[in-house]
Amino acid sequence: MTDETARALGRAVHHTLTYLETLDDGPVGATAELATMRRRLLKPLGDGPLPAEQVVDELVADSQGGIVNCAGGRFFAWVVGGSLPASLAADWLTSAWDQNAGLYASGPAAGVAEEACGVWLKDLLGLPEEASFALVTGCQMAHVTCLAAARHAVLRAKGWDVEEQGLFGAPAIRILSGNQRHGSTTRAIRLLGFGKNSVQDLAVDESGCLRAADLEAALRAEPERPTIVLLQAGDLNMGAYDHFAELIPLAKRYNAWVHVDGAFGLWAAACPRLRRLLEGVNGADSWATDGHKWLNVPYDSGYAFVRDRAAHRASMSHRESYLIHDAEARDQMDWNPEWSRRARGFATYAALRQLGRSGVAELVDRCCRLARALVLGIGSLEGAEVAWEPQINQGLVRFRDPAGLDDDAHTDRVIAKVMASGEAFFGGTMWRGKRCMRVSVCNWRTSEADVERVIGAFARVLAEAR
Ligand SMILES: *Cc1c(COP(=O)(O)O)cnc(C)c1O
């Protein structure tokens, strides 16, 4: 090894450990202004080289105040998650090994680690053993992967080969979904050429679920049309679960492909106390979830699962004379949308090994408990109210304007004040026509002490507002 590599990595280890030591106490949000960040980082590109360790040191110095501490335990705005120790370390090794994990031949260990992840994840999440899978960049790309397989299958059933013929002139696919679906499904739908107009959004009931009668009416209206039904395991505001045991058999009666967005909610399957929420979900055709949220794998980790392996493979696989294929091995390129790709399986592999089955169950359970404590704790303060009590790790709180004028604006003001205090990171949302604060807990580092500390921060802000 060159000394330069050793010095640069030594600096990175030093800076990383220093960073992680301050993570639990420091302000959660960024403290530097955009102008400061630009002044420091947007420098002219140097004409000549610099020593590697200087580059590392200056990157750290220039980024000061511009790192959002979502790796720590007091970030609750979005479903974000941190990085488990083994997973973070494996992620570093992934960069050092620098495998091109597109083919087994260009990274045998990477390929087989992904196979292990596939087997373990299907087991933990209660998905069919025979399902194919892909480790992708995130849940959105898991949607793209699953819906590409869906597109293949529903058009094949109409005698149309979408990989050869494309979508121009193809039978028009329609997509039926509850209207609380995540925006990443819209982007997947756009990327795949369906267009937003092919989606029919159906109203959901009081508990955030698609109604069977509405779905059936929509299916019956055009029984011959190639159809994809999108269901949700955990919506972004309430963590609502569709009634899979009822809806999936219904959709199957009309030969629809059922895709489940379970970015975080699918993880409830790994927890015995919550598993009932997912009853019947294994009857679907494809499932998308994330590793970088609840499993606490560093970013660049989503998972796609597809029951119809042939459809999945047909939508992705490709051959070239210069590539090397091993008849026995699994080539990621046959299942993934990318060509060259990071060996992202190692980080998932390490996370699952570090936690084990009981560790995943405990992590999911603990986050749900802490989410409840946080929502009920903040919601019971004077001037606050619980809008949605967590069923899993998602809840909603609202703040009443002491002047009695505008609770929506006041809710945003309270969020802004807590953010400015650096004590926690939260965001707002519109829910049933009202402004609310979202509360998501999915970081392994979040502790009861964090929850107490954050409730204290709200108590102070609300007292000042009175
Ligand atoms: C986060 C999220 C997504 C998108 O996942 P990415 O990993 O950001 O691509 C999709 N659906 C739901 C419900 C989510 O919470």
Side-chain angles (χ1 to χ4, degrees):
M1 173 167 53
T2 64
D3 291 349
E4 187 168 40
T5 305
R7 283 196 301 272
L9 290 178
R11 297 307 296 154
V13 170
H14 165 76
H15 289 304
T16 301
L17 296 179
T18 307
Y19 173 71
L20 292 177
E21 268 162 28
T22 60
L23 189 55
D24 289 333
D25 290 318
V28 186
T31 51
E33 304 280 325
L34 172 62
T36 310
M37 284 289 105
R38 288 209 171 122
R39 183 168 43 73
R40 291 202 219 129
L41 290 161
L42 259 177
K43 15 179 155 253
L45 177 62
D47 280 331
L50 290 173
E53 65 268 35
Q54 181 188 337
V55 173
V56 173
D57 285 345
E58 289 183 6
L59 174 63
V60 172
D62 291 345
S63 301
Q64 283 296 317
I67 303 293
V68 172
N69 293 336
C70 47
R74 287 175 288 123
F75 185 98
F76 307 108
W78 302 291
V79 193
V80 158
S83 298
L84 287 162
S87 194
L88 174 57
D91 197 58
W92 285 12
L93 284 168
T94 303
S95 293
W97 288 334
D98 199 21
Q99 303 290 282
N100 186 333
L103 297 173
Y104 170 78
S106 55
V112 177
E114 289 195 28
E115 284 182 40
C117 293
V119 173
W120 296 343
L121 288 167
K122 282 184 280 178
D123 179 16
L124 275 177
L125 302 174
L127 303 180
E129 224 176 294
E130 74 272 16
S132 53
F133 66 92
L135 275 63
V136 294
T137 52
C139 192
Q140 178 186 286
M141 287 311 291
H143 293 325
V144 169
T145 305
C146 291
L147 295 180
R151 186 177 68 173
H152 173 92
V154 299
L155 290 179
R156 182 188 55 197
K158 299 286 172 196
W160 187 272
D161 180 342
V162 73
E163 279 71 39
E164 289 297 325
Q165 297 168 273
L167 279 176
F168 300 113
I173 294 172
R174 79 175 153 169
I175 298 170
L176 303 175
S177 169
N179 63 6
Q180 296 299 300
R181 69 199 159 76
H182 192 270
S184 60
T185 58
T186 302
R187 303 221 311 168
I189 285 162
R190 278 164 43 188
L191 284 171
L192 287 166
F194 296 130
K196 286 196 270 183
N197 289 347
S198 63
V199 185
Q200 198 176 328
D201 278 324
L202 306 170
V204 296
D205 68 13
E206 271 299 291
S207 38
C209 307
L210 191 55
R211 291 187 191 87
D214 292 351
L215 179 62
E216 176 141 39
L219 287 163
R220 211 182 315 116
E222 291 178 276
E224 293 308 317
R225 194 147 162 213
T227 301
I228 298 169
V229 173
L230 299 184
L231 298 181
Q232 286 210 105
D235 87 299
L236 81 161
N237 286 318
M238 308 150 68
Y241 286 77
D242 280 318
H243 301 302
F244 305 112
E246 185 183 17
L247 298 177
I248 294 175
L250 169 61
K252 304 307 293 177
R253 276 205 294 283
Y254 288 86
N255 301 314
W257 176 288
V258 180
H259 173 68
V260 177
D261 178 359
F264 57 91
L266 206 55
W267 289 91
C271 178
R273 185 174 69 81
L274 299 168
R275 199 167 284 155
R276 65 188 157 76
L277 294 168
L278 288 151
E279 202 194 323
V281 80
N282 59 359
D285 296 287
S286 58
W287 305 262
T289 189
D290 264 321
H292 54 217
K293 290 182 178 174
W294 223 338
L295 186 59
N296 282 259
V297 170
Y299 273 98
D300 195 76
S301 183
Y303 313 126
F305 303 92
V306 180
R307 177 192 299 282
D308 181 344
R309 302 173 68 88
H312 183 183
R313 187 171 179 138
S315 65
M316 292 296 161
S317 190
H318 184 79
R319 288 291 177 272
E320 290 289 346
S321 61
Y322 61 87
L323 298 177
I324 302 174
H325 300 282
D326 183 314
E328 298 287 309
R330 175 183 186 274
D331 284 320
Q332 294 91 318
M333 244 187 92
D334 286 333
W335 313 97
N336 272 77
E338 316 94 332
W339 197 289
S340 297
R341 61 190 278 279
R342 180 176 178 76
R344 62 174 67 93
F346 290 128
T348 294
Y349 183 89
L352 291 171
R353 290 255 295 149
Q354 188 191 326
L355 293 175
R357 197 184 296 279
S358 66
V360 176
E362 195 274 332
L363 171 62
V364 170
D365 197 43
R366 174 158 42 98
C367 289
C368 295
R369 239 182 334 99
L370 293 173
R372 232 182 114 73
L374 194 53
V375 168
L376 298 184
I378 298 171
S380 64
L381 297 169
E382 197 184 328
E385 65 193 36
V386 174
W388 183 259
E389 190 176 320
Q391 161 181 238
I392 50 166
N393 65 335
Q394 302 294 118
L396 299 168
V397 180
R398 214 170 124 71
F399 302 100
R400 286 188 297 274
D401 183 359
L405 297 174
D406 189 340
D407 292 349
D408 285 352
H410 189 65
T411 295
D412 281 330
R413 273 198 300 274
V414 171
I415 296 172
K417 282 194 177 146
V418 169
M419 295 276 284
S421 76
E423 286 293 281
F425 201 119
F426 284 96
T429 187
M430 285 308 289
W431 184 70
R432 298 186 178 167
K434 289 178 173 175
R435 199 72 185 149
C436 294
M437 181 178 85
R438 289 184 64 223
V439 180
S440 303
V441 182
C442 71
N443 193 313
W444 70 280
R445 290 180 87 101
T446 301
S447 65
E448 293 186 7
D450 288 326
V451 168
E452 287 308 311
R453 179 171 168 177
V454 171
I455 294 170
F458 277 93
R460 284 192 296 280
V461 165
L462 291 173
E464 274 166 28
R466 276 199 290 277

